[in-house]
Amino acid sequence: MCLAEPAPVTGRRIAGLALPALGVLAAEPIYLLFDLAVVGRLGALALAGLAIGGLILSLLSSQLTFLSYGTTARAARFFGAGRRASAVGEGVQATWLAVALGAVVILAVEAAAVPILAVIADGGEIADMALPWLRVAILGAPAILISMAGNGWMRGVQDTVRPLRYVLLGFGLSALLCPTLVHGLLGMPRLGLVGSAVANLAGQWLAALLFCRALLVERVPLRLDLTILRAQVTMGRDLVVRTLAFQACFVSAAAVAARFGAAAVAAHQVVLQLWSFLALVLDSLAIAAQSLVGAALGGGQLTHAKSVAWRVTIFSAVAAAVLAAVFAVGASVVPRLFTSDRAVLGVIGVPWWFLVAQLPIAGVVFALDGVLLGAGDATFMRNATLGSALVGFLPLIWLSLIFGWGLLGIWAGLTAFMVLRLMFVGWRALSGRWLIPGTA
């Protein structure tokens, strides 16, 4: 039985979901820059240790983002069907899963920290510096995953303001503790690099406890439900494979760029970091699409789901086109904000113009990603990403190494990857096969 036709989704409503979501997405990279600035005063060795330890932690957490995106898709359907308690129940089960996975991650990393660092940092002083940081920081893994689950169910019930508040409070505590513990200010002990890990830990657990408190306030059953857990793990499996495909592509691109010299890899990294930042901006609109589409489908409102999908996609495409214009106009100025090295500036134009050309495509792709994830179409998304990586990205990357195409080949591969994804998700959206009503 369908609910009453919902009111049209306005630009204000989309922005009301997207802007707080963008704040959550941007908070961590901004805090990481602050952390780097604090630790950087300890010297190059400490900074290298933080970089290696942080890389391991981020790789592990990035593989488990299904706790956020998968939970949003499932919770949004229940919310749209008028079953808020069931939507929050998805958050309860995702939180239990976060605790279990976090415990496994702690045990695995504590046991294998030394050999992991030996492989990544090639042993030596950097590994020795990273080891104590990693042993402390990994204790925050359950907290990171609990926050992901909390973000997931709250987005599902179309509340993106409280997650922003919780994340900012957590990072605020970390930002207060980091310089005091690293450098021994205000009478606190001087812990050096380990102080950064302790500060991170405190902030992460504060945010996690706030998300847990939000569940308790909802007064829903807190017992385990293996049926729901099984469904979440199934969706999570597809999203993990999708994430692995992304990482294989970007690691391969960095490895090949490094073969063409320091200037090439530096130019590649600068533009790739900009690409990642712009992806965060556009991903906030995808989160709005995910929440709104999931709710519409849960309420059996197929026409409304289609309307939301196209409206958000248009907004995202327009935003991406504006960003592309800004970076095109600033092509001779903006790169100099990141480097003054003439060799880097001499080759940065190649990836820069690929970035400009890709942005309008990315605006559509990311929005439709959100639409299909909101519809719970995770298996298709997995297959589309794998196919685009295997056919478009990876062959061009490795051919560029064989034939000496350099950054031209690498960024042509990234562009082919985006174009293929556009074809896949565009076809899927037009086919209407994602328009499956109900909460299943």
Side-chain angles (χ1 to χ4, degrees):
M1 181 176 178
C2 293
L3 301 177
E5 186 71 25
V9 174
T10 63
R12 178 174 292 184
R13 179 61 181 149
I14 293 170
L17 291 172
L19 291 177
L22 175 60
V24 172
L25 293 171
E28 183 172 1
I30 291 172
Y31 174 75
L32 286 176
L33 291 174
F34 174 80
D35 200 14
L36 287 169
V38 172
V39 172
R41 297 182 180 277
L42 296 176
L45 187 59
L47 199 57
L50 176 63
I52 295 299
L55 173 64
I56 295 170
L57 190 61
S58 65
L59 285 174
L60 289 169
S61 61
S62 66
Q63 292 303 318
L64 300 172
T65 53
F66 73 87
L67 286 166
S68 178
Y69 291 97
T71 304
T72 296
R74 292 178 55 83
R77 283 183 176 262
F78 285 114
F79 182 71
R83 297 168 56 187
R84 182 184 175 92
S86 296
V88 178
E90 292 289 333
V92 171
Q93 301 309 313
T95 300
W96 282 119
L97 187 57
V99 171
L101 290 173
V104 170
V105 167
I106 289 175
L107 292 174
V109 172
E110 292 289 1
V114 173
I116 289 173
L117 289 170
V119 171
I120 295 178
D122 196 26
E125 292 182 322
I126 295 177
D128 291 341
M129 182 65 71
L131 182 61
W133 185 93
L134 183 59
R135 290 202 183 280
V136 174
I138 201 63
L139 299 176
I144 294 170
L145 301 185
I146 288 169
S147 294
M148 286 184 187
N151 266 293
W153 75 262
M154 285 188 174
R155 290 171 184 170
V157 301
Q158 299 185 13
D159 181 357
T160 55
V161 174
R162 278 193 298 166
L164 175 60
R165 191 182 305 141
Y166 297 164
V167 168
L168 289 179
L169 285 170
F171 282 133
L173 177 61
S174 296
L176 178 65
L177 290 176
C178 187
T180 60
L181 291 176
V182 169
H183 298 294
L185 306 178
L186 303 175
M188 299 292 282
R190 190 177 192 277
L191 301 180
L193 181 58
V194 172
S196 163
V198 174
N200 289 342
L201 201 62
Q204 288 157 358
W205 276 106
L206 173 61
L209 290 173
L210 290 170
F211 279 112
C212 289
R213 179 179 177 275
L215 282 176
L216 294 174
V217 168
E218 295 285 340
R219 298 187 181 279
V220 296
L222 301 179
R223 62 181 178 276
L224 284 169
D225 188 321
L226 295 181
T227 302
I228 296 176
L229 280 175
R230 192 176 300 114
Q232 290 184 349
V233 169
T234 299
M235 179 177 283
R237 174 200 62 202
D238 293 333
L239 295 178
V240 166
V241 172
R242 179 173 177 264
T243 303
L244 283 170
F246 280 119
Q247 290 189 347
C249 289
F250 290 119
V251 169
S252 296
V256 172
R259 267 65 174 181
F260 291 98
V265 74
H268 170 76
Q269 192 62 24
V270 166
V271 181
L272 186 62
Q273 288 302 313
L274 283 171
W275 189 93
S276 299
F277 170 75
L278 295 171
L280 285 180
V281 174
L282 297 173
D283 202 32
S284 65
L285 286 165
I287 287 170
Q290 192 180 2
S291 177
L292 293 167
V293 166
L297 292 176
Q301 306 293 344
L302 303 190
T303 301
H304 184 62
K306 288 175 67 174
S307 173
V308 169
W310 296 122
R311 186 179 290 268
V312 175
T313 301
I314 291 169
F315 285 176
S316 184
V318 170
V322 170
L323 290 170
V326 169
F327 279 87
V329 171
S332 62
V333 177
V334 179
R336 297 179 184 276
L337 300 176
F338 297 93
T339 180
S340 59
D341 189 285
R342 291 184 178 181
V344 176
L345 292 172
V347 297
I348 204 169
V350 172
W352 192 271
W353 288 107
F354 271 110
L355 171 69
V356 170
Q358 278 180 32
L359 275 171
I361 299 171
V364 177
V365 170
F366 293 161
L368 292 179
D369 277 355
V371 169
L372 297 179
L373 286 172
D377 207 1
T379 301
F380 173 81
M381 296 297 295
R382 177 200 67 194
N383 294 339
T385 304
L386 283 174
S388 300
L390 294 174
V391 174
F393 203 158
L394 292 173
L396 279 171
I397 287 175
W398 295 110
L399 286 172
S400 70
L401 177 62
I402 295 170
F403 294 104
W405 296 339
L407 293 178
L408 179 66
I410 292 169
W411 281 82
L414 178 56
T415 303
F417 178 63
M418 294 301 295
V419 170
L420 285 171
R421 288 182 63 206
L422 175 64
M423 293 170 61
F424 280 123
V425 298
W427 167 80
R428 188 69 165 185
L430 290 170
S431 74
R433 295 187 181 184
W434 54 278
L435 288 165
I436 301 173
T439 57

